[in-house]
Amino acid sequence: MKRFFNSRSIFFGSLILCVILFYCLSQNFFLTNYHTIESIQNEKHINNLLTHINTEIQQIDKVANTFIYSGFNIATISEIGMIGLDFIVYKNIKDGTVFSRYNYNNDEIIPLIENQTPFENDLIELFKHQSYTADIYTYKNRIFYLIKKQLNPTAFIYLGKNLNNNSLQKLSEDFAQLNITHEHITQTTLKLSTRLIENIFVQTSLEARQIINNISFYNHHDEYLFSIKTINPRKFVNEGEKTIQIVNAIMGLFLAVILYIIYKTQMLYRRVLQKDKKILESKVEKRTKQLEGLLKKVKKSNEQLHYLAYSDPLTKTHNRRSFFIESEKVLKQALEDKSSVSLVMIDIDNFKQINDKYGHNIGDKVLVAFASMIKDEIGEDDIFGRLGGEEFAIVFPNTQLDDANKKVENLRKMVANLEIKLKCGHRLKFTASFGLNDNSLSHNIDEILKNADELLYSAKHSGKNLVRSRINQTALWCDLY
């Protein structure tokens, strides 16, 4: 259950992380592109507006050229609004004549009719040193496109058209709102110019839902004229955000499906692995039990082989090979420790006559009874083995010769008291002879056994049922010679 919840947590955590990561990447990548596109589009709209303003001035310039080259009589013109003008002022330098026409249908120009003379005087005075002017002119917060041209050597005409919010809105449909203001901008993000207007400064402000431009115009003398404020909704960014949200929703759903498939595949794979694991564990456990059984059999076989290789099957004592191996170990350790080791050779007396008289079955019983009694009497560290037939040997580690002599003498007496029950009700007694030696003269097992065997031979020839050792060596030589 805990593992299941961990898997679900990982799944949902991965899904949320992927969605957030994709959302951040899409916001950063796509919105940046939308911002760039919108900035380019906004600048294009501004340039279109300035182009239209420049075109208006050029159109007035064409009208002026018509007057000059076609010989129109200005005095005959009744409605100048028909030719796209809001005022015409004629000035003859020679006689000082001033003649003017105004567009009475334009509400922005009507207030000027009452005070035409100050307007005309200011206009003529401002541009008296220029034979040609194509610019924007402001008079009492009113803005005009202005063209001044020379008709002849003594006469000039001034043609103008009022620029107001209504006419400005007609110039460009790229902006949702255009308004003339008189606010100076403090910071600029863009500087533009046209063929007729050199100094134009733009300040762009990006708000959450709209983009605002403040466009300030300056004349050839760097004198501030007026500003235009434009407002447009941020269509690209707003639509882009909607698109990104839709894309994010689709991608989120897509990622959820992909991750869910991965999650289910992982769970299925985990179940298969768990099932395979259980099967494998069962097989391993079964195989382990089989191997354990085999190991037990091998161990038992090894023990049996070891027993057969190192034990005498009749008397259950060390056989000759095992006895020599263990004896050499004891002698080697005694050499390192500088300790005493005693060894006794034993031969059951008259064993051949026992076999001949009672049979080998009784002879085997004698050997078993003898070996059993010896094993019960000697210590755990003592080494007892059958060298062959009725010959046995005992090694007493860490034992002086006189102590060993006492032990062996005690064993001799116990052997003499042993009885073997026969079928006829009789009891069979037997004795053994002992030859005792130690490692005081040699640490070679063969030499020690050889000397012990000579001592045993002396015991045999001295009447049997005796213990002969290096302690009673005089008796030995008397017996031998």
Side-chain angles (χ1 to χ4, degrees), residues 166-339:
N166 292 331
S167 62
L168 185 63
Q169 195 70 43
K170 294 176 183 178
L171 288 179
S172 177
E173 296 180 355
D174 295 329
F175 298 101
Q177 296 181 36
L178 287 91
N179 294 299
I180 297 174
T181 66
H182 295 280
E183 299 178 2
H184 289 261
I185 60 176
T186 57
Q187 295 180 346
T188 60
T189 56
L190 184 66
K191 182 179 180 181
L192 301 173
S193 64
T194 66
R195 188 173 64 84
L196 299 175
I197 307 171
E198 294 183 359
N199 299 316
I200 304 169
F201 297 95
V202 181
Q203 181 186 51
T204 302
S205 176
L206 300 176
E207 296 183 358
R209 294 297 174 185
Q210 60 186 11
I211 181 169
I212 301 173
N213 296 303
N214 285 307
I215 308 170
S216 293
F217 295 82
Y218 294 79
N219 61 19
H220 296 286
H221 303 291
D222 291 332
E223 296 175 344
Y224 173 74
L225 298 174
F226 70 101
S227 297
I228 297 175
K229 183 177 182 180
T230 70
I231 300 175
N232 251 353
R234 302 190 67 180
K235 293 182 179 179
F236 286 98
V237 174
N238 294 340
E239 292 297 326
E241 287 181 346
K242 293 179 181 178
T243 303
I244 290 172
Q245 290 175 357
I246 294 172
V247 171
N248 284 338
I250 295 172
M251 288 304 299
L253 180 62
F254 177 74
L255 288 172
V257 172
I258 295 297
L259 289 174
Y260 181 75
I261 293 173
I262 295 173
Y263 167 72
K264 294 300 289 184
T265 304
Q266 181 194 20
M267 294 300 295
L268 179 62
Y269 182 66
R270 181 177 292 176
R271 291 191 188 99
V272 172
L273 284 179
Q274 289 177 347
K275 184 177 179 180
D276 291 343
K277 182 182 177 182
K278 289 180 180 179
I279 294 172
L280 182 60
E281 287 177 349
S282 177
K283 289 182 178 179
V284 170
E285 184 179 359
K286 184 178 179 181
R287 187 60 178 167
T288 301
K289 290 181 179 179
Q290 291 176 350
L291 290 174
E292 287 177 351
L294 290 174
L295 287 174
K296 288 180 179 179
K297 290 180 180 180
V298 170
K299 184 178 179 181
K300 186 176 181 180
S301 298
N302 287 336
E303 290 175 351
Q304 290 176 349
L305 289 173
H306 183 274
Y307 177 78
L308 292 173
Y310 293 93
S311 299
D312 178 62
L314 179 63
T315 60
K316 307 297 186 293
T317 62
H318 290 283
N319 60 15
R320 185 180 184 88
R321 178 186 178 190
S322 176
F323 177 81
F324 273 90
I325 291 173
E326 297 299 324
S327 299
E328 285 178 352
K329 292 180 182 179
V330 172
L331 288 171
K332 184 178 179 180
Q333 186 65 40
L335 181 62
E336 294 177 0
D337 299 341
K338 296 180 180 181
S339 59

Side-chain angles (χ1 to χ4, degrees), residues 37 39 44 90 107 124 174 227 240 253 307 322 412 415 430:
I37 294 171
S39 297
K44 182 179 179 182
Y90 170 84
D107 294 337
I124 294 169
D174 295 329
S227 297
L253 180 62
Y307 177 78
S322 176
R412 183 193 66 77
V415 172
F430 61 92

Side-chain angles (χ1 to χ4, degrees), residues 376-391:
D376 290 340
E377 295 301 321
I378 62 176
E380 293 182 358
D381 295 333
D382 299 335
I383 302 169
F384 177 48
R386 182 184 179 189
L387 302 185
E390 71 277 16
E391 289 187 345

Side-chain angles (χ1 to χ4, degrees), residues 345 391 435 437 448-458:
M345 288 283 292
E391 289 187 345
N437 193 19
I448 297 173
L449 277 174
K450 180 181 177 183
N451 294 331
D453 191 56
E454 291 176 354
L455 292 168
L456 174 62
Y457 184 78
S458 173

Side-chain angles (χ1 to χ4, degrees), residues 329-372:
K329 292 180 182 179
V330 172
L331 288 171
K332 184 178 179 180
Q333 186 65 40
L335 181 62
E336 294 177 0
D337 299 341
K338 296 180 180 181
S339 59
S340 298
V341 175
S342 296
L343 183 147
V344 60
M345 288 283 292
I346 310 169
D347 185 85
I348 298 176
D349 298 330
N350 304 315
F351 186 73
K352 185 176 182 306
Q353 287 88 347
I354 294 173
N355 278 333
D356 293 341
K357 184 177 181 179
Y358 298 103
H360 291 281
N361 184 38
I362 299 302
D364 289 343
K365 287 185 177 182
V366 169
L367 292 175
V368 172
F370 169 79
S372 177

